[in-house]
Amino acid sequence: MKRAARERVVHALCAIALPLALMEPAAAAQVSLGSATATFCQINFPIADALDGDFNASTGWAVDPQQGNDQTAVVKAGADIGGLDATRLAFRLNMSWGASHTIGRFRLSATTSPRTTYGLGAACGDATPGGTAVWNVLSPQQLLSQNGQTLTVQPDGSVLASGGNPLSDEVAFVATTSLRGITGFRLEVLADPSFPVNGPGRASNGNFVLTELLLDARTLPSIPTLETWALALTALMLMLSAVGLLRRRRG
């Protein structure tokens, strides 16, 4: 086989072999979240309490007496997230207060905009927490309620809870994104007529308490494209054909 042909075969096979060798995903790492602002916070229940790592059921973010209204919070990542083909984001919304103070409807988004473009208002009175940033709604590949709520993705990308109404819960929301350099996230809690006082919580007074919001991020390996597979297989067939021809000539 000519040298140029051999080099083409090696190149094509490496294009397949290297990504496959690296397909074991990196371990998930917890993302540091902070510098949060929200449209409103209940007295003694600031948004910062949902990011402090304290799972004490008596703390967290709540919105009484502003039930029946949409509320928004934004949080900034301590370091940019996402740099390769895809990143898996695993959120946990822990709601341990009790008395069914769980979030009934929510939507999560991410941004790659500079941190100076959002979350610029007061921590618990930011009228426009999203600022001028460009927000990308995250679509979950996995949704799980630890205590049996039915979670359904709505046409607007929000997640609606229905069915069983547990006293407390933890919701897992896992999404894969190709965004690179994510700087922060937006959590919208949305009013809905299916909840008492239109929510956005499922408690009897429409409130909720978000005890903790946590996030793990994991880089996913690059998968060879169909074009790369076709090139490698074609090169392999050419190599095998050339080897067979040489054997016949020697025989």
Side-chain angles (χ1 to χ4, degrees):
M1 186 184 301
K2 294 182 179 181
R3 180 177 179 180
R6 287 199 303 269
E7 289 179 351
R8 185 180 178 189
V9 169
V10 171
H11 176 77
L13 293 178
C14 286
I16 289 288
L18 183 58
L20 291 178
L22 299 175
M23 280 187 67
E24 182 64 29
Q30 186 167 341
V31 175
S32 174
L33 300 174
S35 301
T37 67
T39 48
F40 181 80
C41 304
Q42 180 177 328
I43 295 175
N44 296 324
F45 288 85
I47 181 61
D49 279 5
L51 304 171
D52 60 4
D54 184 357
F55 285 84
N56 185 329
S58 64
T59 66
W61 179 43
V63 297
D64 182 65
Q66 290 293 324
Q67 295 94 318
N69 301 304
D70 297 344
Q71 303 292 347
T72 300
V74 297
V75 298
K76 299 178 182 181
D80 290 1
I81 303 167
L84 297 177
D85 285 350
T87 302
R88 178 167 294 171
L89 303 171
F91 294 87
R92 290 164 52 201
L93 287 76
N94 182 277
M95 297 160 285
S96 300
W97 173 268
S100 297
H101 278 66
T102 58
I103 296 173
R105 186 172 183 177
F106 69 91
R107 182 166 52 214
L108 282 165
S109 304
T111 185
T112 58
S113 297
R115 292 171 177 80
T116 54
T117 62
Y118 62 93
L120 305 179
C124 285
D126 191 345
T128 56
T132 59
V134 176
W135 295 95
N136 301 271
V137 175
L138 297 173
S139 178
Q141 283 78 52
Q142 298 177 35
L143 275 174
L144 178 64
S145 162
Q146 190 176 78
N147 290 335
Q149 297 188 87
T150 299
L151 303 174
T152 307
V153 179
Q154 303 301 297
D156 64 356
S158 65
V159 175
L160 178 68
S162 62
N165 191 12
L167 298 179
S168 60
D169 201 6
E170 181 169 292
V171 170
F173 177 109
V174 180
T176 299
T177 179
S178 59
L179 293 173
R180 299 186 180 187
I182 297 171
T183 61
F185 301 92
R186 181 180 66 187
L187 170 63
E188 298 168 277
V189 289
L190 305 173
D192 191 274
S194 65
F195 309 133
V197 202
N198 289 327
R202 299 192 74 190
S204 60
N205 66 350
N207 200 11
F208 68 87
V209 178
L210 177 62
T211 308
E212 284 295 315
L213 175 65
L214 302 108
L215 171 62
D216 288 340
R218 183 175 67 180
T219 299
L220 299 180
S222 175
I223 304 298
T225 64
L226 290 176
E227 183 180 357
T228 301
W229 280 107
L231 176 62
L233 291 174
T234 299
L236 180 59
M237 291 174 65
L238 290 172
M239 181 181 69
L240 293 176
S241 177
V243 170
L245 179 62
L246 286 175
R247 287 179 175 175
R248 287 194 295 274
R249 288 179 177 177
R250 290 175 182 177

